[in-house]
């Protein structure tokens, strides 16, 4: 199949295919007149690349999976190098989840602190105002009604 058909079947663009080719992930064969041609194995490689990218893998992280398929394995993740990439990606995701959990805990604590301060009566202090929308205390509708 030609590059346009492969791109359409893989749900990508011809430009992306040429980029994958330049990175050594996709190997085009050429016809006598110079057109790139591909086969079903190339479609499998592209599907593997796109699936991994949908999961957040960068292009270079897909290389072991592509090489595994090219070596004739039934799945791109059946080789030790691919499993190592999965492990690294999971460790990266776990670290990000831990970091986000810590940020969430800090934001929750700041919110609790701010809510306590906002509800505390401050003698002689200004009354809290909400400016989130029409009808809210101090909002645009209140100014229109005042005068």
């Amino acid at each position: 199949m030609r590059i346009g058909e492969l791109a359409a079947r893989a749900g990508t663009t011809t430009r992306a295919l040429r980029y994958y080719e330049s990175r050594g992930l996709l190997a085009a064969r050429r016809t006598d007149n110079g057109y790139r041609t591909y086969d079903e194995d190339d479609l499998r490689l592209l599907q593997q690349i796109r699936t991994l990218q949908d999961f957040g893998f960068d292009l270079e992280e897909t290389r072991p999976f592509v090489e595994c398929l090219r070596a004739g394995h039934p799945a791109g993740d059946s080789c030790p190098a691919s499993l190592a990439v999965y492990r690294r990606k999971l460790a990266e995701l776990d670290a990000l989840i831990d970091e986000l959990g810590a940020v969430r805990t800090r934001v929750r604590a700041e919110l609790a602190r701010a809510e306590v301060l906002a509800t505390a009566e401050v003698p002689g202090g200004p009354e809290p105002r909400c400016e989130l929308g029409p009808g809210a205390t101090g909002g645009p509708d209140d100014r229109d009604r005042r005068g």
Side-chain angles (χ1 to χ4, degrees):
M1 76 188 87
R2 296 206 7 217
I3 193 169
E5 181 183 351
L6 179 62
R9 289 183 62 191
T12 191
T13 64
T14 58
R15 183 177 179 182
L17 298 185
R18 287 189 297 271
Y19 179 69
Y20 297 156
E21 183 180 345
S22 75
R23 298 292 305 268
L25 293 169
L26 187 63
R29 288 155 300 285
R30 300 283 183 154
T31 62
D32 291 337
N33 57 5
Y35 289 117
R36 290 174 171 92
T37 62
Y38 302 92
D39 59 24
E40 294 299 317
D41 290 337
D42 296 314
L43 179 60
R44 282 186 62 216
L45 294 177
L46 278 173
Q47 289 168 333
Q48 179 76 76
I49 292 168
R50 297 205 23 97
T51 297
L52 291 169
Q53 286 190 306
D54 288 346
F55 292 159
F57 287 64
D58 67 35
L59 194 56
E60 195 55 38
E61 289 173 319
T62 69
R63 188 172 301 281
F65 297 85
V66 169
E67 290 170 357
C68 189
L69 284 172
R70 278 192 185 139
H73 294 274
D77 58 6
S78 58
C79 295
S82 303
L83 298 175
V85 171
Y86 273 154
R87 287 184 192 100
R88 280 194 306 271
K89 183 56 88 174
L90 279 174
E92 177 185 316
L93 292 170
D94 288 341
L96 289 171
I97 289 167
D98 290 346
E99 184 179 330
L100 285 173
V103 170
R104 184 174 193 258
T105 298
R106 289 194 318 261
V107 169
R108 179 180 282 139
E110 288 299 311
L111 173 62
R113 181 195 57 76
E115 286 176 336
V116 167
L117 291 175
T119 58
E121 291 187 12
V122 180
E127 186 174 320
R129 292 181 6 176
C130 178
E131 297 179 6
L132 296 177
T137 303
D141 288 350
D142 287 347
R143 283 191 291 273
D144 292 343
R145 281 186 240 139
R146 284 185 221 139

